[in-house]
Each structure stands twice: as C-alpha cells, then as structure tokens.
Amino acid sequence: MLRFISGKYQGGEFPLQEGVKVVVGRSSDLDMVLVEEMVSRRHAHIEMRTGIVYVEDLGSTNGTFVNGERVEKASLTEGDRLLIGTSILKLVAVEDVPPGSRRNLQKVALGKETIRSQQATGSIARMTGNLEEIPLPDLMQLFGTSRKDGTLVIQSTHVGRLHLRAGEVVDASIEGSAISAQKAAYRMLAWTKGHFELEPSDPACQPRLQMNAQAYLMEGFRQQDELRAILSRGPKIEQRLGLRTPLEAPLQDLEQGKLEVLQAAINAPNFGVALDRSPKTDFETYKDVHDLIRRGYLEILD
C-alpha cells in the first residue's frame, strides 16, 4: 500500500494489487489523481509484479523521486519514499487486499467531485507532514535533489524556519531567538518531533547563508556527533559560568573568537543563554567553553 505521509492528501492510502497498473497524474480519468500544478497530466505509473513494486516516470515536467533521487524507472522496497509533486508517499506492508478493492480511496480525495471542487476553488497544494514520519534530513535530501523553493516552517519545541532557493539553505531562524542563521539551521537539524509545512518563498528574506543540502547535512551531522561526545562533560544548560578567581591565565593569550565566547559566558545568567549569545555554533561554543575551563579562564559557579 502507498500511504500519503505529506501533502494535501496526507493520511490517505492507496492499495496496490499484483499486476494492476496504476497511472498517476493530474488528469481526472487516471487511477490516482493528484490535483496540483507540480504534477503532470500523466506523471508516472506504478505496478506490483511478483511482489515487487515498480515505478516509472512518464516524462513528467517536475520529475519522480525515490528516497530523494530523481528516477526514470526504479523498484521500491518497504519503507521507501516516493515524491510526486508535493506529495510524499511511503510504501508500507499490509494484509492482502481483495481483488477490485480500493480501500480508503476516498481518504486521498481522488473522486471526481472532489477534483472539480478543488479546481473551482483554485486550492494550492502545500507539502506538510510530521518529523516522526519524515525526519528533517530526509526532507532536505528531497528538497535538495528536487531544487525546491520555499520556506520550511517547523513547529517543534520552538518554531523554526529554513528558507530554500533551488534546494539550498539561504537563511534560517528560530522564533523568539536572535541567534545566527547558521546556528539556527544546525539546531533544527537535531529536532526529531513536530510538524512541518513548506510555504511559498518569503520575498522579504535576505539571504545570510548559501549551503546546499548535502553540505548542510554533512556539516550538521559532524557537529552533532562531536557535540554528543562532549555534552557529558558539562557545563549543563542551566548552570552559570564566571571568571576563575583569582584569574591567573592572561587574557592577552586568547584569540578574538574565544574572547567573544568568554564574554558571552560571563555576562549570561546561565550557559543556555550564553549559547544563544555566542557568535559561534553550539558545537564550537561548547568546545571553546571546555577549553576556557581547562585553561583556567572560566569556572562553573552553580
């Protein structure tokens, strides 16, 4: 079965049957009708043969993607994700479906009355979903390969925004925080729960970054791995830092970047605020704070 895990048909399911070809597209006479501009009239066809599901692009304008890779023909295995237009479908295993059945077909709004209604209202499809179903790294691989434009809004413990142009991250922010765009982008990569929606591009966005999806993910994962290795050594977010007293280490020995981290640490009510105020990424700030403690410049006060 193909389960819609993102897009305006999210939650819908489409059973697949052995030897039955499913043609996907915008035309109302097809088997699976997806009414949105990014879907071609005849976009792709899907067929299960001897238990294996195959997908073939039918020369669509915007392409068909399997796990973030644009394909002409491909086979799918359980758990694979298929991107058509703004809809992401996941192949899931289910019990046998009786011949001729189209269980839950109405849930994906494929009926002609629904099609006419959506065409009349001119509804715009937006890509939505949950990070539990589609983690942010998977989303970024999809957006990078398909060169998406838009603003990815993520509602987790905070609300974050990743601004995309042709699949590249050009800006990032977290509501209620004045942290740098780079720091915001890497923090969001660690979010694993929440809801996302790809909105139209914000014309007021002034690019502060230029990272393609692959570079963003590789550097973000590297920082997360190294950050996890030093988190256990403290300090904790709620702890306060101060200058070591008496201060014996000479301040003139510190380079400018570490002086800025030192200043952020001693002027903040706790380490969490210092992380926000530091001009460096969270990983770089943690690393500098550990070094400043080791060299006798900082100490944990409580």
Side-chain angles (χ1 to χ4, degrees), residues 129-132 136 153-161 174-175 187-197:
N130 297 309
L131 293 180
E132 294 91 331
L136 183 55
V153 181
I154 305 172
Q155 298 185 29
S156 186
T157 51
H158 299 84
V159 177
R161 286 176 170 80
I174 296 175
E175 280 189 10
R187 276 194 190 177
M188 280 184 270
L189 195 56
W191 294 357
T192 58
K193 294 182 179 180
H195 177 268
F196 69 83
E197 180 172 355

Side-chain angles (χ1 to χ4, degrees), residues 30-43:
L30 301 182
D31 306 293
M32 184 190 294
V33 182
L34 304 181
V35 186
E36 56 171 284
E37 291 183 358
M38 291 187 64
V39 175
S40 297
R41 291 186 62 81
R42 290 176 58 86
H43 196 105

Side-chain angles (χ1 to χ4, degrees), residues 145-197:
T145 307
S146 55
R147 299 177 62 82
K148 289 284 187 189
D149 291 330
T151 301
L152 181 65
V153 181
I154 305 172
Q155 298 185 29
S156 186
T157 51
H158 299 84
V159 177
R161 286 176 170 80
L162 283 170
H163 299 269
L164 308 173
R165 290 184 184 172
E168 291 192 346
V169 179
V170 297
D171 198 13
S173 62
I174 296 175
E175 280 189 10
S177 174
I179 62 177
S180 69
Q182 186 181 53
K183 183 180 295 188
Y186 290 138
R187 276 194 190 177
M188 280 184 270
L189 195 56
W191 294 357
T192 58
K193 294 182 179 180
H195 177 268
F196 69 83
E197 180 172 355

